[in-house]
Each structure stands twice: as C-alpha cells, then as structure tokens.
Amino acid sequence: MQRILVTRPEPDNARTAEKLSALGFTPLQLPLTAIKPLAVREWPDPSYIDAVAVTSVNAVRHAPEALLTDIASQPCYAVGERSGEVAGAAGLNVVDAEGKDAEGLVRRITADLAQGRKVLVLCGRVRRPVLQDGLTQAGIETFIVETYDTITFSPSEEEIVAKLEAPVDGVLFYSALAAKAFARISACRLFSQSAYFAISERVGKMLPPEARDRLHIAQEPNEEALLSLLSR
C-alpha cells in the first residue's frame, strides 16, 4: 500500500488523510504549515460595501461571528467550491464559487461589478497581491480583512525519520508555503524516491529543481484533481 504524505495544516490534514485511506493509500501526516487566527476588531460598515470576496476556507473559519453576521446579506464570491461550501455554511450569501484561483476570482468579480463598487476581502496575512491589484486596476475599491496568519515548519531529518519511519512514496502539496518549507527538508533520505503532487504549477515551482522530474501538477487547482493524480 503506497505511503502518501500530507503537508497541509490541520484540520484539513486529517480530512485529506481520511480521503487517502478511503482510496486505499496509507496516509502520513506531517503538516509543514499551521494556521494562526488573528484578532479582527474592525471592518467597514456593511452598508458601505457591495460584495464580499473569500480567498480561502481559513479566511472564513477564523472570521469573527459578528463580522460574518454583518456581511451575510452581501453577495459573496469564493475562490473555489470548498471555500464556497464553508462560506455558505457560515451564513454567507455565496453567489459564485467558480474562481478556482486569485486570477479567476478577479475575473468573476469584475464581470459582475462595475467601476466604483467596493469589495470586502476576507483573507490571510500571507498572500499574493493578485486579487487586490486586479480589482484595483478594474476600478473596484477593496477593504482587506486579515483573519489568520500562516506559520511554516522545517523539521530536522531526525524528526522526520522519527515521525515517518520508512520511505515515502508520494507527497501532496496544497500551498506554495508548504512546498517552500519542504524544499528545505527534501534532502531527507525518506524522500529520495518520492513522487511529488502539487495542486498548481505555482505551488510546484517552489520545489527544488532536482525534484521537477518527479513532479505532477493537478489539471485544476482543487483537491479532487490533485488526488486523481495518485490513481495514475
């Protein structure tokens, strides 16, 4: 049974491990990032904004209840299906969850909103400027609300061997931060023959050059497409 390492943070690490078990793999859990909630005390009056943008599941998970209540009636654009599900469960009015990535989210929002509109963006402290820059260039004002931070880990080879014990057949990467953290430990002997599976090309580029010949990229930036690579 193939041993597949999950590098994403909890609680999603455990959720992916369950999916791997159901698919017949042996899941290995070694989160290389952790999510730290931030204290959010201020945000714009909901009457002043025209829409909400959700950049990740964690952006919603760590948003204050008062904030979620305030923006519940505004149309919400989520970056992907999973983010849309979590946003909907939190009471947000999800009208679009087909963005797939930050670039796609910009396209979905600008297709619906005219210049001069205002968007509240729920996001993490560590992020690319793609969404904010894209909306600004389209004449849409943004209000950034950071609900969480991301911390990275780089365990020693001794710690990795103690945790995993035996060679790893495959490693899953869901974020550029996790891939970048893994690059610092990729020389560990347990990964000498591992195949690497990245959720997007941008994430895969964070791995060291010598890993590229063992790298597989999901056709779409979501977990279903990523896990489908394992069956091949």
Side-chain angles (χ1 to χ4, degrees):
M1 190 176 294
Q2 289 187 312
R3 292 160 47 86
I4 307 298
L5 179 65
V6 186
T7 60
R8 69 192 314 197
E10 296 292 4
D12 293 316
N13 195 300
R15 188 173 64 86
T16 297
E18 291 180 0
K19 289 185 177 183
L20 288 171
S21 293
L23 292 171
F25 298 100
T26 299
L28 307 172
Q29 296 178 250
L30 185 68
L32 296 180
T33 60
I35 302 302
K36 177 184 177 182
L38 296 175
V40 181
R41 298 185 176 89
E42 295 182 353
W43 53 85
D45 187 297
S47 65
Y48 191 65
I49 64 172
D50 299 295
V52 175
V54 171
T55 64
S56 70
V57 168
N58 286 309
V60 178
R61 281 180 179 154
H62 301 293
E65 287 295 331
L67 169 57
L68 295 174
T69 299
D70 270 0
I71 62 177
S73 63
Q74 301 292 351
C76 174
Y77 295 80
V79 75
E81 183 178 340
R82 176 61 181 161
S83 296
E85 290 174 356
V86 173
L92 298 187
N93 177 28
V94 179
V95 297
D96 193 311
E98 300 297 326
K100 297 184 180 180
D101 54 22
E103 292 83 357
L105 193 54
V106 170
R107 290 192 294 271
R108 308 296 288 199
I109 294 173
T110 55
D112 290 349
L113 300 186
Q115 290 187 359
R117 297 294 186 175
K118 301 173 177 64
V119 176
L120 185 148
V121 180
L122 295 181
C123 59
R125 177 169 291 171
V126 180
R127 63 184 183 277
R128 295 188 298 153
V130 173
L131 177 60
Q132 187 175 4
D133 288 353
L135 293 178
T136 299
Q137 290 171 10
I140 296 174
E141 187 175 357
T142 58
F143 298 93
I144 303 300
V145 179
E146 298 173 346
T147 66
Y148 70 97
D149 198 2
T150 306
I151 301 167
T152 60
F153 306 112
S154 293
S156 67
E157 179 158 356
E158 291 73 18
E159 291 172 324
I160 296 170
V161 172
K163 174 74 173 179
L164 305 181
E165 298 181 346
V168 175
D169 296 303
V171 185
L172 300 177
F173 298 101
Y174 288 75
S175 73
L177 278 180
K180 190 173 182 179
F182 183 84
R184 296 192 287 269
I185 64 174
S186 60
C188 174
R189 61 183 182 274
L190 298 188
F191 306 127
S192 63
Q193 301 298 319
S194 301
Y196 301 132
F197 303 91
I199 201 166
S200 70
E201 186 174 353
R202 183 178 68 87
V203 171
K205 286 181 177 178
M206 294 297 106
L207 295 171
E210 59 270 19
R212 304 291 167 77
D213 61 345
R214 291 182 275 149
L215 175 61
H216 307 272
I217 305 293
Q219 291 186 347
E220 294 187 358
N222 57 57
E223 184 170 58
E224 289 70 23
L226 180 63
L227 297 183
S228 72
L229 294 173
L230 298 176
S231 63
R232 301 176 187 176

